[in-house]
Amino acid sequence: MTIDSSTVLAALGILALVMCIIVLYHLLFIAVDLRKITRRIENVTADVEGVIRKPLFAVDQILEFALQWLDERKGGHHKKK
């Protein structure tokens, strides 16, 4: 059995096709893992937003209360003649 250039090229073509299939198979798993990672990151950022927003909301409510209280004191206070 002699090995000529056409059989070598055919073997290399088949080997390249098999390697492409393996690469695509691995890319499929990488894409699924990246999707899972992005979902986890989205959940973590939502939790961080919640942790940051709660104190800011509380400070906002306190400032609104203080401003209303100051407006009531300012408007209700008159000097006697």
Side-chain angles (χ1 to χ4, degrees):
M1 179 173 185
T2 61
I3 299 176
D4 54 345
S5 63
S6 63
T7 57
V8 171
L9 285 176
L12 287 175
I14 292 172
L15 183 64
L17 183 64
V18 170
M19 292 298 286
C20 286
I21 291 172
I22 291 171
V23 167
L24 290 175
Y25 182 74
H26 282 89
L27 286 176
L28 178 70
F29 283 107
I30 290 171
V32 169
D33 288 342
L34 284 175
R35 191 175 69 184
K36 287 180 184 178
I37 289 170
T38 55
R39 283 184 186 165
R40 288 179 186 163
I41 289 173
E42 185 178 330
N43 291 337
V44 168
T45 54
D47 291 342
V48 169
E49 278 183 22
V51 167
I52 291 173
R53 283 187 179 181
K54 284 180 185 177
L56 291 176
F57 182 72
V59 168
D60 184 45
Q61 293 294 324
I62 291 169
L63 285 175
E64 282 184 26
F65 174 75
L67 287 174
Q68 287 176 356
W69 183 73
L70 287 173
D71 285 342
E72 289 174 6
R73 283 195 62 151
K74 182 181 178 184
H77 184 52
H78 296 286
K79 290 185 179 180
K80 293 184 181 181
K81 291 186 180 181

